[in-house]
């Protein structure tokens, strides 16, 4: 089975000792396509170096992560815009709102997201959204900006059935990762009844490793564990889940298909 990891930080410092071996393990596990979200100006070089070494497997996005949004975030967004005009990327992201660590910069995060939504429209690219402890705040901004041209994914989705249905109404996909395998992750209650056409699979590596690797470094080779769990939750054949989510992912990020 051929899989696509819709969200993986394979350029992370945590993979520095064994990046090549890790990406080879991913390929051997069937993960032939990996989409890399950018964090900020410090991650661009190593992300593009990873693409250069594995151009058929690893495809970069360009954006500014909400946790990297400070008081003077405009300079970093100028750099994002400059890169988007310079060469192809598969998406704008990851961007969004994160109120888990710090709530004091909400206004700045909201403005940074508005700007990046406009970039996505201008460049006709999908958005990859980070919504940690901030689903409502993010969804409200997306709804206000949705003119029929915005598309993308709420990555690392772990919300309620009602929130899932709202994401779908907004024209976005649900990125499902390791949380689906957690005993109290909640997705066993959210996902039943959600059509496969709305789902992408992701690892968000090196974070959020699925069971039985929870608490350890995550990597794309573990994506089949997530696919298996999603198939169990939906009562579907694993191959059907893999085929549908891989197709959805490649269609969304069509520049790299």
């Amino acid at each position: 089975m051929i899989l696509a990891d819709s969200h993986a930080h394979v350029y992370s410092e945590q993979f520095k000792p064994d990046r090549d071996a890790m990406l080879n393990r991913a390929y051997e596990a069937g993960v032939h396509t990996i989409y890399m979200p950018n964090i900020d100006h410090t991650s661009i070089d190593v992300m593009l170096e990873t693409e250069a070494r594995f151009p058929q497997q690893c495809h970069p996005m360009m954006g500014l992560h909400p946790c990297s949004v400070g008081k003077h975030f405009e300079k970093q967004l100028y750099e994002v815009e400059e890169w988007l005009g310079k060469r192809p990327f598969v998406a704008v992201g990851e961007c969004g709102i994160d109120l888990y660590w710090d709530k004091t910069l909400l206004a700045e995060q909201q403005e940074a997201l508005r700007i990046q939504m406009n970039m996505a429209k201008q460049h006709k690219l999908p958005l990859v959204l980070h919504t940690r402890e901030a689903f409502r705040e993010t969804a409200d901004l997306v709804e206000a900006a949705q003119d029929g041209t915005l598309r993308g994914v709420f990555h690392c989705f772990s919300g309620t059935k009602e929130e899932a249905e709202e994401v779908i109404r907004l024209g976005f996909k649900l990125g499902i990762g390791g949380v689906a395998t957690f005993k109290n992750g909640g997705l066993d209650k959210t996902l039943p009844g959600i059509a496969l056409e709305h789902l992408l699979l992701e690892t968000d590596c090196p974070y959020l490793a699925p069971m039985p690797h929870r608490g350890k470094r995550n990597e794309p080779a573990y994506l089949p564990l997530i696919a298996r769990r999603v198939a169990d939750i939906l009562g579907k054949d694993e191959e059907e889940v893999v085929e549908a989510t891989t197709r959805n992912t490649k269609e969304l990020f069509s520049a790299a298909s």
Side-chain angles (χ1 to χ4, degrees):
M1 289 186 288
I2 306 303
L3 300 95
D5 190 339
S6 66
H7 197 106
H9 303 272
V10 291
Y11 56 80
S12 164
E13 183 76 13
Q14 291 193 39
F15 295 118
K16 192 173 182 179
D18 64 339
R19 196 176 335 272
D20 287 13
M22 174 270 294
L23 287 168
N24 285 325
R25 283 195 296 275
Y27 196 87
E28 288 167 8
V31 185
H32 291 187
T33 313
I34 296 170
Y35 296 95
M36 303 183 293
N38 188 50
I39 298 296
D40 55 31
H41 69 284
T42 67
S43 54
I44 296 171
D45 286 350
V46 66
M47 179 178 69
L48 295 182
E49 285 165 15
T50 303
E51 178 203 24
R53 285 188 57 77
F54 294 85
Q56 300 304 314
Q57 189 179 19
C58 298
H59 307 285
M61 310 176 195
M62 180 50 58
L64 179 63
H65 193 291
C67 290
S68 293
V69 172
K71 287 287 184 188
H72 307 289
F73 63 89
E74 293 90 349
K75 183 182 177 186
Q76 291 214 61
L77 286 182
Y78 286 135
E79 188 170 7
V80 167
E81 179 59 44
E82 189 179 339
W83 273 107
L84 286 170
K86 218 189 300 193
R87 52 145 292 162
F89 291 92
V90 298
V92 173
E94 69 185 280
C95 54
I97 299 177
D98 188 308
L99 299 180
Y100 179 79
W101 298 107
D102 185 358
K103 294 179 173 64
T104 63
L105 292 169
L106 174 59
E108 287 83 355
Q109 289 188 26
Q110 288 171 318
E111 182 60 18
L113 177 54
R114 288 189 195 98
I115 292 168
Q116 290 179 91
M117 287 192 291
N118 285 332
M119 289 179 186
K121 291 179 180 180
Q122 180 188 341
H123 293 278
K124 297 181 170 59
L125 290 172
L127 272 172
V128 173
L129 293 170
H130 174 108
T131 62
R132 192 174 189 189
E133 299 293 325
F135 176 84
R136 182 75 272 132
E137 291 82 355
T138 309
D140 285 349
L141 285 179
V142 172
E143 184 169 18
Q146 182 56 281
D147 57 2
T149 65
L150 272 182
R151 59 200 172 93
V153 56
F154 278 62
H155 116 83
C156 197
F157 183 82
S158 59
T160 65
K161 174 82 84 176
E162 292 72 27
E163 288 170 342
E165 290 168 350
E166 183 172 357
V167 169
I168 293 165
R169 280 198 306 275
L170 288 170
F172 278 65
K173 306 290 188 190
L174 304 164
I176 306 300
V179 171
T181 71
F182 299 169
K183 186 178 179 183
N184 297 311
L187 287 173
D188 56 325
K189 297 178 180 64
T190 297
L191 291 181
I194 301 289
L196 273 175
E197 67 188 273
H198 304 303
L199 304 182
L200 311 183
L201 300 182
E202 63 169 72
T203 57
D204 196 19
C205 69
Y207 318 107
L208 287 175
M211 297 297 290
H213 305 285
R214 188 174 184 180
K216 299 175 184 173
R217 187 189 75 173
N218 196 7
E219 59 178 80
Y222 299 157
L223 195 64
L225 296 169
I226 297 167
R228 201 166 302 140
R229 176 59 180 147
V230 170
D232 288 345
I233 291 172
L234 296 178
K236 293 186 180 293
D237 181 74
E238 184 182 348
E239 194 164 339
E240 183 185 358
V241 169
V242 167
E243 284 178 2
T245 55
T246 299
R247 181 174 62 249
N248 298 342
T249 303
K250 290 188 173 185
E251 284 176 358
L252 183 64
F253 302 124
S254 56
S257 294

